[in-house]
Amino acid sequence: MATTTDTAPPGATPPDTAAPGVNPPDTAAPGANSPDTAPDSTAALKVVPARHYARWTAAVAVLVLLAQFAHGLATNPVWEWGVFRDYVLSETIVQAVWVTLQLTFYATVLGFLLGTVLAFMRLSRSPVLQTVAWTYIWVFRSIPMIVQLVFWFNLSALYKELGVGIPFGPVFWSVDSNSLIGTIGAAVIGLTLHQAAYAAEIVRGGVISLDQGQLEAAAALGIPRLRQIRRIVLPQAMRAILPTAGNEIIGLLKGTSVVYVMSIGELFYQAQVIYGRTGRVIPMLLVATAWYVVLTSVLSVAQYYVERRYARGADRTPPPTPLQRARRFLRDLRAEAARGGRSVVPLKPLKPLKSLETAPVGDGR
């Protein structure tokens, strides 16, 4: 008895499948619209920007506080702006500012020189140098600056004379401590030794941030170690050193006010002397504050341009400086004013260039 099957003969196309390249009747052609691929109905909706109510409220609150502070500065008679004008450029205050700048300069230069030596001592392979440098940094970062200044101011109580000679042997030359180290000298020594401890860590952090492969390549080329430090390590490390070093110098400038305990005529000490004599405490503190703000602002601007110079190797197209932005803004304003009132004349299109006559290929000429 014969049985029938539903299979098609070999080579025949099944009735429910389409031939290759022919779309089946139940499927839509690619790209045809279907209920699932209907045009987006949100195109006609109105787009509303996000509203940051908390941000606006915080901004208004800050502006109100600033307005109240400015109003208090202008109307509160305790500020005594007349006394401020009389003393802010007085000879005594200007000389005190000069003393402050001198202390800052000497402590910065000597402190960073000593700090650089200490940084490379910590990075050396000698355990003795590493231990000495680490101990120095630990001790001078642990003792407050005012304690160090008072200690150096009373150095003569510990050592009556300072001399030069053979260690643990005879002394060839000696001098009285008070005549060798005066008040300014003790202040410079105290500020320098304190600053060197922090400068050492700043320099060390900048050096270890470099890729060690550069030093290995320099050593493979036979470059001496000192030249590697001077020509390869420090120029690249300066980019990492400068931001922290700038902050440290600004902090040192304000930290010179601590030397008032040594009766040195720097800015804060002279302000204290004047308001102790006149009783004008608030305006004299305002005088000192104004000078500190001016000096730190100048140092901040200098730091910005020095950092910009050392960043040239990493950023070939640095952003414009504030001065460049101001110049561009003024130039655009002048150009806009020059164009005002003038009718714009459209440029005539250029005539097309005549095509060059070329010899046919294979002409033989």
Side-chain angles (χ1 to χ4, degrees):
M1 179 176 179
T3 59
T4 59
T5 60
D6 295 338
T7 58
T13 304
D16 55 347
T17 59
V22 179
N23 294 329
D26 294 339
T27 59
N33 292 333
S34 63
D36 296 337
T37 60
D40 189 3
S41 60
T42 62
L45 296 179
K46 183 179 179 180
V47 179
V48 179
R51 294 180 173 88
H52 306 280
Y53 296 106
R55 187 185 305 172
W56 297 343
T57 304
V60 170
V62 170
L63 291 177
V64 170
L65 291 176
L66 291 176
Q68 288 181 333
F69 180 72
H71 181 266
L73 286 177
T75 59
N76 193 337
V78 180
W79 292 107
E80 297 185 89
W81 291 104
V83 179
F84 172 82
R85 287 191 298 269
D86 293 338
Y87 282 98
V88 68
L89 295 177
S90 62
E91 182 180 358
T92 303
I93 295 297
V94 172
Q95 290 179 354
V97 171
W98 175 242
V99 174
T100 299
L101 291 176
Q102 285 181 314
L103 292 174
T104 304
F105 176 77
Y106 294 144
T108 299
V109 174
L110 298 177
F112 272 90
L113 287 177
L114 180 57
T116 303
V117 175
L118 291 170
F120 284 101
M121 287 174 63
R122 284 205 63 185
L123 294 173
S124 68
R125 298 179 181 178
S126 171
V128 176
L129 297 180
Q130 289 182 4
T131 304
V132 170
W134 183 88
T135 305
Y136 177 94
I137 295 171
W138 169 63
V139 169
F140 280 90
R141 288 199 304 180
S142 302
I143 303 175
M145 184 189 296
I146 191 170
V147 176
Q148 298 181 39
L149 291 173
V150 174
F151 177 83
W152 291 107
F153 183 69
N154 295 279
L155 182 64
S156 60
L158 185 62
Y159 297 103
K160 300 295 183 181
E161 293 182 349
L162 297 176
V164 177
I166 300 176
F168 308 104
V171 177
F172 303 124
W173 176 80
S174 63
V175 65
D176 184 66
S177 299
N178 285 328
S179 61
L180 180 63
I181 303 176
T183 305
I184 295 292
V188 171
I189 291 174
L191 293 173
T192 298
L193 297 179
H194 179 81
Q195 184 64 31
Y198 291 91
E201 292 299 283
I202 294 173
V203 175
R204 188 178 69 89
V207 170
I208 63 178
S209 66
L210 298 181
D211 185 8
Q212 295 299 316
Q214 299 189 35
L215 297 180
E216 295 174 359
L221 293 174
I223 300 177
R225 180 67 176 174
L226 185 60
R227 185 176 296 178
Q228 292 179 26
I229 296 173
R230 184 169 52 91
R231 301 299 297 272
I232 298 176
V233 175
L234 287 180
Q236 298 184 74
M238 286 297 290
R239 187 167 178 263
I241 291 173
L242 279 174
T244 313
N247 292 336
E248 192 66 26
I249 294 172
I250 291 174
L252 178 63
L253 171 67
K254 296 180 293 183
T256 55
S257 59
V258 181
V259 303
Y260 79 92
V261 298
M262 306 170 68
S263 300
I264 296 177
E266 49 83 37
L267 179 58
F268 182 65
Y269 177 80
Q270 291 294 353
Q272 281 185 313
V273 171
I274 293 174
Y275 75 63
R277 185 176 65 248
T278 62
R280 308 294 188 180
V281 179
I282 299 299
M284 293 313 303
L285 291 179
L286 190 61
V287 167
T289 301
W291 273 108
Y292 281 123
V293 169
V294 170
L295 296 176
T296 54
S297 300
V298 172
L299 289 178
S300 299
V301 172
Q303 175 187 352
Y304 171 79
Y305 282 99
V306 173
E307 289 181 12
R308 181 182 175 87
R309 176 176 178 83
Y310 277 95
R312 292 178 302 173
D315 191 1
R316 297 186 180 275
T317 57
T321 63
L323 184 59
Q324 291 174 345
R325 291 194 185 98
R327 289 176 177 175
R328 182 181 300 175
F329 178 74
L330 293 177
R331 185 170 61 248
D332 293 342
L333 285 181
R334 286 195 296 265
E336 188 68 24
R339 286 195 301 266
R342 296 183 183 178
S343 59
V344 180
V345 180
L347 298 177
K348 296 181 179 179
L350 297 177
K351 295 181 179 180
L353 297 176
K354 294 182 179 180
S355 58
L356 298 177
E357 296 182 358
T358 57
V361 179
D363 190 28
R365 292 182 292 177

